[in-house]
Amino acid sequence: MAYSNFHFEVTDGVAVVLMDRHDEAMNTLGEEFVVELDQVVARLEEPDVKAVVIGSAKKDFLAGADVRMFDRFDSIEDAADALKAIHLIYDRIEALHATAGKPVVAAINGACLGGGNELALTASIRLCTDTSQLGQPEVQLGVIPGAGGTQRLPALVGVQHALEMIVTGRAVRPHKAKQIGLIDEIVPNEMLLEVATRRAADAIDAADAASSKKRSGSRPRLGDLTRFALEGNPAGRKVLFKKATEMMLSETGGNYPAPKRAIEAIRIGIEEGRAAGVAAEIRFFAELVATPESEALRSIFFAQNELKRDTGVDSDATPLAVDDVAVIGGGLMGGGIAAVSAINAGARVRIKEVDDDGVGRGLAYVDRVVAKRAKRRRLSDFEVDRIMNRVTGTKSWQGFGRTDLVIEAVFEDLELKRSVVREVESVVGVDTIFASNTSTLPIVEIARASQHPDNIVGMHYFSPVEKMPLLEVVTTEATSDQTVATAVAFGKRQGKTVIVVNDGTGFYTSRVLGPYTNEAGHLLSEGATVEDIDGAMKAWGFPVGPLLLADEVGLDVGAHIAEIFTDAFGDRMKGPDLLSALVADGRRGRKNEKGFYRYEKGKRKGVDDSVYGVLGLGPRRETDRSSIQERLSLAFLNEAVRCLEEGILRSARDGDIGAVFGLGYPPFRGGPFWTIDRMGAAPVVDALDRLADTHGERFAAAEMLRGHAADGTRFRQR
């Protein structure tokens, strides 16, 4: 039988099934794919098939469900029925070896996630390449594994490892997967199918089939005394689930329902049996997919995928090839930019500093990032040497003539940046692109020093560069489409999610923090405590509150940015003059261990109550948490709309992605525009009007927001 989404071949009793979804670049569990998988399994159940290899004809194994299907479920019952159909198919694959004695080998390459990992769990033997990723990331979409993952994974790797994988949604690398028993063997990619077919053929006889059946995941594998103590008795399991719940609540603040349900589904399966666990898994998934949290998280997922295909320009301009990159500045930002350029983008990188110490700091930063990845087995010794050989440092402009892209990461001073532009252009070619890593200064002002303003662009990274996923590319009217396309393409090579914004003070991400941070200052001046302000916004979903964020960024940096914003936007962006007073007192935040919080040897110890006296503030009073959350969140939302209204943002989608990936905006809220759509623009305007009556014009609603309130339209389409 011919299949549209599978390659099928039987040789000497071994059936090799290769997944190859015909309408997508990646294998996912779409409706047509699942229907054909059912037909393939029926063929595998025929007597001439003695063993099975399931692999992929694509670079990835199976990336899970086609998430677009989630939006087509008409009801909870509809979602549950779809899951039951997949469960039946997966149960039949497991039965091939568990009941019929036909060994099933999963030959895993690339991404093996979600429903893909659950498919691999049905096999009796699992092989993977050394570049594979295996995991259950469903909580990142607001749901839980729905094809048996909450039951088969704990049975195979133990409750503790399963909880870690499912509740966090983090994938594991091959060596970790082998260590915990998720896979049996790591093989080179070019030999994967050959070895998998050999393992399947060797396992056909009854003895090997029985051994495979034992390994199939039908019972927990208690490999050591610690695991037995935790999982082998009711008391140990109770402790394990209690700790997992406490850790989950600590990390999520209780704002994400999926992790809690995942823990419960695993517990039910362990304590009440697999049938009860499967029933709970299906019910919980079907309920979760209809929640606003899942809808918001899926909106982020779809926006990310759209941005992967977005070139950043509306024309057909093609990006220039970037092989040689220069980074001006070897500090934390420069070192991070150099690291992702060499490690992820594979470019040759030259770090320019003013002295040997600066060069040394930049090179050492790259070395630390590389060493961390090597320690986690993400880089081999050969790859480490190859990367470090691509990174050099210099105090002079020697070697800049062949540079394709120069990224400056010097201090946030306009004249300094202009001087760097002039010096760079004197030593590079006329086609070399110059990118500024400024977070607030308008790119057009920096470009006034350039003889080639069409080559000038902003590339605003977030610290630490090697960890933060967002890159904000900033374009002026003079910037050419080719320059923008080149910056976007290179940012993607660096591993970044890239949004393109138009030029303006603070661009988007820095600008929306202005009113948000100012409002925290107003609340502090009115008597709220640091703990109440930061605690309220952390409970709202931000990873840290605005005052702790100010400490992390640097109070001196924040004070400088506040001056720039006041000059650009006037009284609307002028908050209480608190940061400059703290800087005058010698407080710069975490970096010198003096700020809103106390620090000892780099560790935060709590609020520094002396800050109130330094600021000349009176006694503290209890402030309603919901009032704090309303004022700060609406200040943020309103400024986001202003950025779209003024054309700083190209789309509401980009505004949501920029806030979530650059600023830690709560993902379960979907971004500021998704939040407004969820609340309704009219209620948001009403709340802003009420706040404006009490606190003044800084809460005046953006005209675009009033327009959406009047006509009832959404900023983002579902």
Side-chain angles (χ1 to χ4, degrees):
M1 181 177 178
Y3 303 102
S4 299
N5 300 286
F6 297 88
H7 303 284
F8 190 101
E9 183 179 285
V10 180
T11 305
D12 297 329
V14 177
V16 177
V17 179
L18 299 182
M19 298 175 286
D20 190 8
R21 182 165 171 174
H22 71 89
D23 57 343
E24 295 286 348
M26 183 174 283
N27 292 322
T28 55
L29 291 168
E31 294 175 13
E32 179 189 333
F33 186 94
V34 171
V35 169
E36 277 204 348
L37 179 59
D38 181 69
Q39 297 169 358
V40 168
V41 174
R43 175 67 182 88
L44 296 175
E45 291 169 335
E46 293 181 7
D48 64 313
V49 175
K50 305 299 181 184
V52 179
V53 173
I54 301 177
S56 171
K58 298 183 184 292
K59 67 181 181 66
D60 296 296
F61 183 72
L62 178 62
D66 186 337
V67 182
R68 292 169 296 189
M69 290 197 311
F70 295 179
D71 292 327
R72 295 198 284 270
F73 294 141
D74 295 325
S75 65
I76 291 174
E77 292 74 20
D78 190 26
D81 288 342
L83 288 185
K84 289 174 184 176
I86 295 175
H87 267 271
L88 287 174
I89 295 172
Y90 279 20
D91 286 347
R92 287 165 59 200
I93 296 173
E94 185 177 54
L96 290 172
H97 59 85
T99 302
K102 300 181 180 184
V104 178
V105 179
I108 301 164
N109 59 306
C112 176
L113 304 171
N117 195 59
E118 289 169 303
L119 174 60
L121 291 172
T122 67
S124 52
I125 302 171
R126 282 161 289 277
L127 279 59
C128 77
T129 67
D130 56 6
T131 58
S132 298
Q133 297 181 65
L134 301 94
Q136 302 289 164
E138 288 86 351
V139 294
Q140 297 173 11
L141 295 175
V143 293
I144 66 173
T150 65
Q151 306 306 305
R152 290 190 177 96
L153 189 60
L156 183 65
V157 305
V159 176
Q160 188 169 9
H161 291 308
L163 282 168
E164 182 180 346
M165 289 180 63
I166 292 174
V167 173
T168 67
R170 289 193 288 266
V172 295
R173 298 283 176 171
H175 291 281
K176 174 71 171 178
K178 189 172 188 299
Q179 181 184 12
I180 66 177
L182 179 54
I183 60 132
D184 299 292
E185 190 176 353
I186 303 172
V187 299
N189 185 67
E190 59 273 12
M191 297 179 62
L192 178 61
L193 284 180
E194 177 187 342
V195 175
T197 304
R198 192 187 316 143
R199 297 290 180 265
D202 291 345
I204 287 177
D205 63 85
D208 284 336
S211 175
S212 298
K213 181 177 177 181
K214 185 176 181 181
R215 290 200 304 268
S216 67
S218 59
R219 68 181 69 178
R221 296 171 12 149
L222 304 175
D224 53 56
L225 291 175
T226 301
R227 178 168 164 184
F228 180 79
L230 287 172
E231 304 177 16
N233 64 87
R237 290 195 297 270
K238 185 176 181 179
V239 170
L240 193 61
F241 283 112
K242 182 175 183 292
K243 288 186 175 180
T245 301
E246 290 173 351
M247 184 175 297
M248 176 270 297
L249 291 174
S250 175
E251 291 187 4
T252 68
N255 290 315
Y256 297 81
K260 181 180 178 181
R261 287 302 205 183
I263 293 172
E264 182 66 6
I266 295 171
R267 186 196 63 77
I268 291 172
I270 294 296
E271 296 184 356
E272 300 179 28
R274 179 159 155 176
V278 166
E281 174 184 283
I282 292 172
R283 183 175 74 255
F284 293 163
F285 181 103
E287 292 170 353
L288 287 165
V289 80
T291 61
E293 292 84 0
S294 179
E295 187 178 19
L297 291 167
R298 297 200 306 271
S299 78
I300 295 171
F301 173 81
F302 290 130
Q304 273 188 286
N305 284 341
E306 289 173 8
L307 282 168
K308 289 177 183 177
R309 299 186 293 269
D310 190 343
T311 64
V313 295
D314 296 328
S315 70
D316 59 357
T318 56
L320 296 170
V322 176
D323 299 314
D324 292 274
V325 176
V327 178
I328 313 299
L332 295 179
M333 294 301 294
I337 295 168
V340 297
S341 299
I343 300 170
N344 299 338
R348 291 182 291 270
V349 181
R350 194 153 177 81
I351 300 173
K352 167 74 167 63
E353 260 288 1
V354 296
D355 55 30
D356 290 332
D357 288 343
V359 172
R361 284 192 295 271
L363 294 174
Y365 194 102
V366 177
D367 185 67
R368 285 195 299 273
V369 176
V370 171
K372 286 179 182 178
R373 297 198 182 189
K375 186 176 180 180
R376 294 172 183 167
R377 296 178 180 261
R378 296 187 179 182
L379 294 173
S380 67
D381 291 343
F382 172 75
E383 289 170 322
V384 168
D385 290 339
R386 187 172 59 176
I387 290 168
M388 293 310 299
N389 285 336
R390 288 201 294 262
V391 184
T392 58
T394 181
K395 296 183 295 181
S396 71
W397 296 104
Q398 183 179 358
F400 274 65
R402 66 180 187 181
T403 304
D404 304 306
L405 170 65
V406 176
I407 306 173
E408 67 81 5
V410 301
F411 183 70
E412 200 80 339
D413 178 84
L414 180 59
E415 287 308 318
L416 174 61
K417 290 179 183 290
R418 284 176 173 171
S419 70
V420 172
V421 171
R422 287 189 284 266
E423 287 189 90
V424 166
E425 289 190 347
S426 70
V427 295
V428 299
V430 294
D431 294 326
T432 299
I433 293 172
F434 181 95
S436 173
N437 180 49
T438 178
S439 60
T440 52
L441 296 173
I443 301 301
V444 69
E445 293 300 324
I446 297 172
R448 293 191 192 283
S450 173
Q451 298 179 29
H452 308 285
D454 55 319
N455 292 342
I456 307 295
V457 69
M459 292 180 74
H460 176 209
Y461 295 86
F462 297 76
S463 183
V465 179
E466 68 275 11
K467 293 181 180 179
M468 293 295 287
L470 187 74
L471 171 63
E472 191 176 31
V473 169
V474 188
T475 179
T476 72
E477 290 185 2
T479 308
S480 73
D481 281 359
Q482 186 172 58
T483 295
V484 175
T486 302
V488 170
F490 189 71
K492 291 177 181 178
R493 281 174 56 191
Q494 291 174 318
K496 300 300 180 183
T497 295
V498 185
I499 63 169
V500 175
V501 300
N502 287 312
D503 193 24
T505 303
F507 321 129
Y508 169 62
T509 52
S510 295
R511 178 172 160 182
V512 290
L513 284 179
Y516 174 78
T517 304
N518 285 345
E519 203 56 37
H522 285 296
L523 282 158
L524 199 65
S525 298
E526 293 167 17
T529 65
V530 173
E531 294 97 329
D532 283 349
I533 295 169
D534 279 354
M537 297 319 294
K538 189 171 181 183
W540 200 76
F542 279 96
V544 298
L547 302 178
L548 177 55
L549 179 63
D551 266 8
E552 296 289 343
V553 171
L555 300 182
D556 53 338
V557 175
H560 183 58
I561 291 173
E563 291 177 5
I564 293 173
F565 280 173
T566 301
D567 290 344
F569 300 105
D571 289 343
R572 189 175 68 79
M573 278 279 199
K574 183 173 177 56
D577 193 17
L578 304 181
L579 296 183
S580 59
L582 294 176
V583 174
D585 189 54
R587 298 170 187 257
R588 293 190 294 154
R590 177 183 285 277
K591 58 188 170 187
N592 77 332
E593 300 195 336
K594 291 180 65 178
F596 286 105
Y597 290 82
R598 294 180 292 106
Y599 302 88
E600 291 180 13
K601 297 180 179 179
K603 293 185 178 180
R604 179 163 42 93
K605 293 297 182 181
V607 172
D608 185 347
D609 289 331
S610 69
V611 75
Y612 304 122
V614 171
L615 295 173
L617 300 177
R620 301 293 89 193
R621 60 176 177 80
E622 186 175 345
T623 307
D624 179 63
R625 171 169 282 190
S626 62
S627 174
I628 295 172
Q629 292 172 336
E630 180 183 56
R631 286 171 61 176
L632 267 71
S633 64
L634 289 180
F636 191 110
L637 300 181
N638 197 34
E639 197 64 27
V641 177
R642 289 184 187 276
C643 288
L644 183 62
E645 181 178 78
E646 296 172 17
I648 298 297
L649 285 169
R650 296 165 69 217
S651 67
R653 174 204 69 186
D654 290 359
D656 283 346
I657 288 293
V660 170
F661 287 91
L663 304 175
Y665 190 94
F668 73 91
R669 297 185 185 276
F673 293 97
W674 190 270
T675 300
I676 294 170
D677 288 340
R678 183 73 191 173
M679 296 171 66
V684 171
V685 169
D686 289 344
L688 284 167
D689 287 344
R690 174 170 43 80
L691 290 171
D693 289 341
T694 304
H695 300 289
E697 281 301 301
R698 67 178 185 269
F699 279 108
E703 288 305 313
M704 177 179 278
L705 186 56
R706 291 192 182 279
H708 279 260
D711 59 27
T713 55
R714 292 174 58 94
F715 285 97
R716 296 273 311 277
Q717 299 306 310
R718 285 189 174 87

